[in-house]
Amino acid sequence: EVQLQASGGGLVQAGGSLRLSCAASGFSFDDYVIGWFRQAPGKERERASCISSSDGSRYYANSVKGRFTISSDNAKNTVYLQMNSLKPEDTAVYYCAALFGCTSEYDPVYRGQGTQVTVSS
């Protein structure tokens, strides 16, 4: 069974930190790019960050660059998103997805359920 399980969300004050985890199972982790996406109520989905476990290449949206760090533990088939200096505008449901590439077109092969991140001012 293919699963992408996102966890680690919560409520944090502005300036705080959270680390999200995306645990993958049921498919070959190395064959895909893993991306973190987020969507706030009334807003469009945003591609926050991606990582290729095969070559380690990373992508960050301008809105998170310098504050978020994506990493992967291939032995655990898990991708992490370390989020520092959080802002109220980071509030959203965050979810991870397995993709063939980190492109602006959202076309996931697999997608996990989301985890809520709420940043209070």
Side-chain angles (χ1 to χ4, degrees):
E1 179 185 4
V2 170
Q3 281 193 330
L4 278 172
Q5 184 68 46
S7 61
L11 173 64
V12 64
Q13 287 188 332
S17 299
L18 284 173
R19 189 177 81 154
L20 305 183
S21 299
C22 174
S25 61
F27 64 96
S28 179
F29 193 67
D30 290 347
D31 289 344
Y32 301 95
V33 168
I34 303 297
W36 280 101
F37 298 81
R38 63 185 186 178
Q39 189 161 22
K43 294 188 177 180
E44 292 187 356
R45 177 181 49 243
E46 180 182 19
R47 178 183 45 155
S49 184
C50 300
I51 187 168
S52 168
S53 59
S54 60
D55 65 12
S57 58
R58 293 164 170 82
Y59 162 86
Y60 296 99
N62 287 336
S63 58
V64 309
K65 199 172 293 182
R67 301 186 297 121
F68 291 11
T69 302
I70 193 168
S71 62
S72 68
D73 184 335
N74 290 4
K76 295 182 178 180
N77 278 8
T78 300
V79 170
Y80 304 98
L81 187 67
Q82 178 66 42
M83 305 186 297
N84 298 329
S85 302
L86 283 163
K87 305 174 181 179
E89 52 264 43
D90 293 318
T91 296
V93 175
Y94 286 70
Y95 55 96
C96 56
L99 315 156
F100 286 127
C102 187
T103 67
S104 58
E105 181 179 352
Y106 181 69
D107 188 19
V109 180
Y110 307 114
R111 172 191 157 166
Q113 64 184 34
T115 185
Q116 176 70 45
V117 172
T118 302
V119 184
S120 62
S121 56

